[in-house]
Amino acid sequence: MVERLDFTKAKISETEYSSATAIVDSILSQAVEQKATDVHLETEETTSLRFRINGLLYNFDPPPREFYQAIVTRIKVLANLDIAERRIPQSGAYKATVKGGGVHLRISTYPTIFGEAVAIRILDKRNILLGFDQLGFQPPTLARYQKILEEPYGIILVAGPTGGGKSTTLYSSLNKIKSARTHIITIEDPVEYHIPGLVQAQINPKAGMNFATGLRSILRQDPDVVMVGEIRDAETASISFQVAQTGQLVFATLHTNTAPGAVTRLIDMGVEPFLIASSVIGVLSQTLVRTLCDSCKKQYQPSPEVLAELNLPPHLSSPPQGGRIEERGEEASFFCRGEGCNECNGTGYKGRTGLFELMVTNEEIRGLILEKAPTEGVKEGARKAGMQTLREDGMKKSVLGIVALPDVLRMTKSDKK
């Protein structure tokens, strides 16, 4: 690689590039060891290096300023980007072996007034959880979700923010239902993990392959199950519903904050309410919250302000029985926070878990969809049918000492009562 690189274009020396290679390897090794999902390299008068761990960014010792451009060049070479072009954003990807395992790295560069900023998304197969028991589902929600996976046709939507774990849930769902008798085809952007037994494809806009064109071709492949990486526009939404209407089970992701909000989003995209009512089997909304470190979590009394936000009496450290939180039998009932220890690198957290709300479509909800009822109306119908909101799910996990109450409040701001 070094022998073929034109250093005059990169405006660096061969010695700088050689040093930068070692620095990049060290950064990636450290990021994988820390189980980071993203690496951010930026420069101003000095450089900065941050890893996103458990959803939050943490500062790490940055590389020397004099090697910054060589580091960017090394990353661009690996991702097959134009090393001479620094005026426009670029994106690429490559596979690497880090810490003895294969990882897929997605690279994005962005020109700033001080130089190019680099973001690296790390997709490590060793961290993917393909079992529902590992994702954080409460047993009642999981039982209802697994029930709708048995449907022969229709649409199952997984909604939530970017980085909220939607892809992992979809892969786990497909892994659950795959068999020699089921032909499963996906169209993704990008293919994050390969699941044996699935036919997986990646969009390529430059070649004319987008979600809409891919979906049209998929129908000629005789699928039983189709997974659409994301419904982004009216055309993709329309074709996805057409596929569901022809007898296939369709999985797709959608960017909404709540499960009932997915209905409003689809109507805004131009999907006819009768198609939504007749095709959507269920909508699973989710987000990820940091998990408290078992080695250092301690019980504490939340502030009166926090308890007031939850409509709880100020003298209580856990919700009263008979309230919105279901009885927990012999299980622990208290709020916890992490103190920080060697096991969690002083953060108080170790890993993340999901918060979920599942809206299963019934006759009442179908009627509300046909009437174009507002999101709040659909939400009330879904709650009558047994839907637990994201905040309620988070509250259950917080009183069991699994997650921190402030994190639940922060991640469910749109779910206030």
Side-chain angles (χ1 to χ4, degrees), residues 21-127:
T21 298
I23 293 173
V24 171
D25 290 345
S26 176
I27 289 173
L28 294 178
S29 179
Q30 188 178 13
V32 169
E33 183 178 350
Q34 295 287 336
K35 289 184 169 54
T37 57
D38 299 87
V39 174
H40 292 270
L41 269 168
E42 294 151 5
T43 181
E44 293 182 11
E45 285 80 6
T46 60
T47 60
S48 73
L49 172 65
R50 294 183 292 173
F51 295 167
R52 188 174 296 279
I53 303 170
N54 298 329
L56 295 182
L57 287 171
Y58 294 90
N59 286 311
F60 284 79
D61 290 337
R65 179 68 179 84
E66 59 267 25
F67 290 114
Y68 186 84
Q69 186 53 51
I71 291 168
V72 174
T73 298
R74 171 60 178 168
I75 294 171
K76 291 169 78 172
V77 167
L78 292 170
N80 198 28
L81 304 180
D82 186 349
I83 62 173
E85 181 55 79
R86 304 180 187 176
R87 300 165 298 175
I88 60 174
Q90 297 186 65
S91 61
Y94 72 97
K95 294 179 181 179
T97 299
V98 182
K99 289 288 181 181
V103 296
H104 186 77
L105 304 168
R106 285 157 49 187
I107 310 300
S108 173
T109 66
Y110 188 78
T112 76
I113 58 175
F114 293 100
E116 290 177 286
V118 178
I120 304 174
R121 169 63 57 87
I122 301 174
L123 304 172
D124 190 344
K125 290 184 179 180
R126 292 167 292 186
N127 293 336

Side-chain angles (χ1 to χ4, degrees), residues 238-253:
S238 175
I239 300 172
S240 297
F241 277 84
Q242 290 175 27
V243 173
Q245 291 282 315
T246 58
Q248 279 78 32
L249 181 62
V250 178
F251 291 85
T253 69

